[in-house]
Structures are given as C-alpha cells and as structure tokens.
Amino acid sequence: MGKNLYQKVFESHIVGKLPSGQYQLFIGTHLCHEVTSPQAFAMLREEGLKVKYPERTFATVDHIIPTTADARVRPFKDPISEEMLEHLEKNTRDFGVRFFGPDAGEQGVIHIVGPEEGVTQPGMTVACGDSHTATHGAFGAVAFGIGTSQVADVLATQTLAMSPLKTRRINFTGKLQPGVTAKDIALAYIAKLGVNGGVGYAYEFAGPVIENLDMEGRMTVCNMAIEGGARVGYCNPDEKTFAFLRGKPFAPKADKWDEAVAYWKSVASDPDATFDDEIEIDCNKLEPMVTWGITPAQAMQLNENMPKISEFSGSEQKVVREAYEYMGWEEGGKMLGTPIDIAFVGSCTNGRLPDLIAAAEIMKGNHVSPTVKMWVVPGSQKIKKEAEDLGLDKIFTDAGAEWRDAGCSLCLAMNPDKLQGRQVSASSSNRNFKGRQGSPSGRTILMSPIMVAAAAIEGKVTDVRKYIK
C-alpha cells in the first residue's frame, strides 16, 4: 500500500516514541520572528542551554516593523516594538542564528523570506511560532505553527513531541476562469469545510487546478489551511517546485542538486496512497470570493446573497447572528457594492511578486477612489526591489496608492498600520476576526489582491472581472 507525503515525511523524522504515545519528531528547519521568540531564548538562558543546531534556525522581523520609511528609523517610536527587535538582534547574534535583517535588505514576512531564500525545501519538517506556517507546505514540506514553549523546545533539542494527524486530500478539478485566483480557492475550501473542518487533519491539496498554479499561488492555498482548522496543508513537489528553488541562496548547490531533486521526488504521495478522507471541489464555476462575516469560513461567491440566520442550526445561529451584529450587514443582502475605506494588498497570504503584478495590472490607468486609502505592502525587501525594477511602484503611486516597505502591516496591526473606528477594509490578508486589523470595531472583508485593487478604484466591493482585458 502506497503512502502519502505527510506519512513519508512524518515517519522519516521520527527520533523515537515517547511514553505518552506521542513521537519525538526531528525538526529540519525552524523559523523565528520577534513576537514568539524572546521568551523562548530567555528560557534557554535561564537553563544555561545553547541552540542545538543554530544552522537550522532562521529569523527575521515582520509583525512589529513599520512599513513607512520615516517610521523605520531606529529607534522605533514605539518602545515595545524597538525592544522586541533589539531582543531578536541580540538573541540571533548571541546564539549564532542567521538573521535576515532590514539593514542587509533581507527582511520580510517570515513565510515569504523562508521560500525566497531557499530555506524551505520538499521533504522537510518546518516549525515556526506562527499560525500560518503551513504556507511552506506548498513546497512539499510538513510545516506547522507552534507555541512559545515549543519554540524553546526546538531551539534546545531540534525536536518536538507530536502525534500523527489524519490526512484529507482535497482534489480541485476543472479550470479557473479569468479573475479567479488562488485566494478564491482558499476561501472556497474553507467555506465548504468550515473553520473546524480540518481539526486533526493534514490537508493535501491536489488536482489539475493546484498543478496549474505557480508556487506563489500554492503558498496562498497552503497559507490558509489553519483558517480551516488544519494544522498542516501541503502540495506535492514537482518541476515547478524545483525550478523555484534552483539558485536560491540556501538551496542545494550544483554538485548536490540532482541528489536533492531525487529525494524531493521520492517524498511525493504515491499513486496508490490512501487518505482518511477525500473530497472534490469543482473550480469550473468558481467565482471571486469575499467574506461577509467574522471568520474566513463566512465567505461566499461574489454574486451570491449573504445567508439568512434561519438557514443555520441552533449552535451556528449564534455565530452568524454575532457576525451580522458586528459587521452591520443585513442578512440575505449582497456584499457587491459594499463601501470600503481601506484597501490593503500584502501579508504572508498575498504579498508576493505575482500578487503585486496582478494588482498593478488592475490599477494601471485607473485611480484610487477619493473615499479610499490604498496601502500596497511588499512581503519582503527583495520583493519590493523586484517590483520597483518592474515599475510597479510607479503604477501604484500614479494611481493614488501608498507604496510601503516590507512587513506584516495591516494584517494584524501590531505595528502603526491600523484601522480606525468602524472603517471597512478590503484586505488580501487571511483573517477577518473582530478587531484583527487594529480597531476593536473595525471590519475586514477578505478577498484576492485583484479584487482589492478593483474595490480601491470604485470605493466599494466590485467585480474585478470587468477590469480584466
């Protein structure tokens, strides 16, 4: 009986079985940022421990770093943010950990920096103190978020205690139509399976639609696995994966390349692999998706009506009613035409170069509505430079958008980028929770980068397909 990728990678990283019944799992790559690592490094100092394999840990600053040039001058105006970055700089220096810092032009969102540096590779286990670590599963890695105490465990031992997950393969069939993107795929599977549908599962994303996505699109699909309850989401590695990694700074060099590719191919799910569950999503008729509520699962195709509370069971009715009360929408109404105040393109979900290129194509020759502020935030300093080399910054600024520096920005507003009051944000990020974007009463509508661009132009949720030539 064949095995799937998750089973192969998990089993090949087992160090031993623990008395609890869990397995001690070796972590191939450990990624750190400034929010969940200071306490972990402090634990090591208290115990007099070193980082077990410093060459396997990589760090950057993303959550707290400002995205405007004046605010990035050190020391930061916010003393807590400055202190967090100082801790990260000191910890990486003291413990011999590679730091992708802003002074070197290597800084960015951790889930964008890892792949662009070639740190993320097929067949690895990847851990990070961040919810959206499943992003790295796009490369055929088994990647998952961990808590602060587990960050300390990995630093000290390079292992974690884990139980194997069940596996669910989601086959995306058909073909995406113009204006429909990887973000719409992600919102579609979460809407179908629910925020708890993936609890206890690793998701394998498969089928012709996934195979036709570029690596950046696959990262978007995997990035949001946690929003559907799945701790792990992955795609099988293929020639696109290998081409993306070739020549990256930390990818295998020429003399090791063929050997690496042979291993990477071997970890892909076998043709006769079995799964605990398998579902199919037909993408032929998939339209651009938008969220209407306060979880990513509260999403719908653009031209649908919002659901009525009576359509849900008793326990679900409470969450739906809460969503309508918070967002201020009328049940059964349309999201199409909903006014917005802020348009945000960026985040670990959609801050990559193809996202910026696609949004710029919509903005070209158009202008941001006078009622809207648009922020475009590249996912890394390297992406920012690549985008500027292509002239994307000028397209955005000519259209009236703000071209920012790299960081998490408005995705979670642990930095100066925040909503004010009841503002409505059209956002390419991954969470629309209450207060997520900095204001306790701010409202977030998740959508693709091109949908954000179209909304910025018209000042309201609109159909991007009218802008596609």
Side-chain angles (χ1 to χ4, degrees):
M1 188 71 71
K3 293 182 177 179
N4 59 54
L5 181 145
Y6 176 80
Q7 293 167 331
K8 292 181 184 182
V9 177
F10 190 98
E11 290 170 9
S12 67
H13 286 76
I14 291 174
V15 176
K17 192 166 186 179
L18 302 170
S20 65
Q22 291 183 299
Y23 292 93
Q24 186 180 20
L25 204 68
F26 185 79
I27 304 302
T29 295
H30 183 208
L31 304 172
C32 288
H33 57 76
E34 75 283 5
V35 178
T36 53
S37 68
Q39 307 92 323
F41 280 110
M43 292 177 194
L44 264 64
R45 283 194 175 90
E46 289 169 8
E47 298 295 329
L49 298 172
K50 295 180 179 180
V51 174
K52 182 75 172 177
Y53 296 110
E55 71 278 7
R56 290 185 175 272
T57 295
F58 303 86
T60 193
V61 55
D62 54 9
H63 287 60
I64 57 90
I65 194 165
T67 62
T68 56
D70 58 335
R72 286 167 81 99
V73 175
R74 303 285 298 274
F76 297 152
K77 291 179 181 177
D78 176 29
I80 296 176
S81 296
E82 176 64 26
E83 183 181 8
M84 292 171 82
L85 179 49
E86 288 176 357
H87 277 304
L88 185 63
E89 290 170 331
K90 176 175 171 52
N91 288 330
T92 53
R93 185 171 59 248
D94 290 355
F95 287 92
V97 168
R98 180 68 160 83
F99 177 51
F100 298 115
D103 292 344
E106 299 172 332
Q107 173 266 333
V109 183
I110 189 66
H111 304 312
I112 290 178
V113 170
E116 78 179 7
E117 294 290 343
V119 167
T120 305
Q121 297 172 22
M124 283 183 166
T125 48
V126 179
C128 177
D130 188 90
S131 303
H132 295 100
T133 308
T135 307
H136 306 269
F139 292 84
V142 170
F144 41 84
I146 56 177
T148 297
S149 61
Q150 291 176 306
V151 172
D153 290 342
V154 177
L155 290 171
T157 71
Q158 206 63 37
T159 65
L160 281 175
M162 299 196 72
S163 298
L165 299 166
K166 293 186 289 184
T167 54
R168 172 181 289 140
R169 179 160 61 187
I170 307 177
N171 287 304
F172 296 90
T173 60
K175 183 180 179 181
L176 295 183
Q177 303 305 309
V180 182
T181 71
K183 182 61 160 288
D184 304 304
I185 296 172
L187 290 172
Y189 77 73
I190 296 167
K192 180 179 179 68
L193 297 171
V195 290
N196 295 316
V199 173
Y201 281 93
Y203 280 174
E204 174 171 307
F205 301 113
V209 172
I210 298 298
E211 292 165 7
N212 287 330
L213 289 177
D214 58 21
M215 290 308 299
E216 290 85 356
R218 294 179 192 180
M219 283 187 261
T220 295
V221 172
C222 291
N223 172 272
M224 293 192 70
I226 191 65
E227 308 307 335
R231 195 174 183 189
V232 169
Y234 67 88
C235 305
N236 284 301
D238 59 12
E239 294 301 325
K240 289 183 180 179
T241 316
F242 313 147
F244 183 97
L245 288 171
R246 186 186 288 273
K248 293 287 191 290
F250 287 84
K253 305 306 178 192
D255 60 331
K256 299 287 186 182
W257 181 256
D258 290 344
E259 180 184 352
V261 170
Y263 169 66
W264 295 345
K265 288 180 177 180
S266 76
V267 301
S269 295
D270 295 326
D272 59 343
T274 58
F275 298 83
D276 296 287
D277 188 36
E278 197 160 354
I279 68 165
E280 182 176 307
I281 296 179
D282 181 3
C283 294
N284 279 317
K285 295 182 179 179
L286 183 64
E287 294 189 348
M289 299 283 292
V290 293
T291 57
W292 54 266
I294 55 175
T295 77
Q298 291 177 332
M300 65 184 195
Q301 299 195 76
L302 181 61
N303 288 306
E304 293 178 336
N305 291 331
M306 286 181 273
K308 293 191 175 182
I309 297 173
S310 60
E311 296 174 20
F312 296 86
S313 63
S315 59
E316 291 178 307
Q317 282 187 3
K318 181 180 178 183
V319 179
V320 175
R321 185 175 287 108
E322 181 185 1
Y324 281 126
E325 289 174 354
Y326 181 83
M327 297 299 287
W329 318 142
E330 291 290 330
E331 59 177 305
K334 292 274 191 184
M335 284 302 294
L336 195 65
T338 300
I340 69 160
D341 304 293
I342 300 289
F344 170 57
V345 174
S347 83
C348 63
T349 311
N350 282 127
R352 298 175 183 86
L353 187 61
D355 300 316
L356 304 182
I357 291 172
E361 190 62 31
I362 302 300
M363 298 305 298
K364 193 182 295 181
N366 291 299
H367 201 277
V368 175
S369 166
T371 63
V372 172
K373 287 184 179 179
M374 184 180 189
W375 300 340
V376 183
V377 184
S380 73
Q381 289 179 302
K382 289 187 176 182
I383 288 172
K384 182 172 192 263
K385 184 180 184 308
E386 290 171 350
E388 290 172 349
D389 289 344
L390 294 173
L392 302 188
D393 57 325
K394 190 171 190 308
I395 293 173
F396 286 119
T397 55
D398 284 353
E402 294 184 34
W403 177 249
R404 299 291 190 96
D405 286 307
C408 290
S409 185
L410 189 61
C411 177
L412 81 169
M414 289 183 68
N415 52 74
D417 300 347
K418 305 178 193 295
L419 295 184
Q420 303 296 321
R422 291 282 285 164
Q423 282 184 325
V424 175
S425 165
S427 180
S428 70
S429 54
N430 45 53
R431 285 182 170 166
N432 54 332
F433 303 159
K434 293 196 287 186
R436 169 74 177 182
Q437 293 191 297
S439 167
S441 57
R443 295 167 288 175
T444 302
I445 306 171
L446 300 179
M447 59 186 75
S448 71
I450 56 174
M451 281 287 289
V452 171
I457 294 165
E458 297 196 14
K460 61 187 179 183
V461 176
T462 192
D463 193 335
V464 69
R465 291 173 291 188
K466 71 177 81 167
Y467 291 93
I468 296 175
K469 301 176 180 66

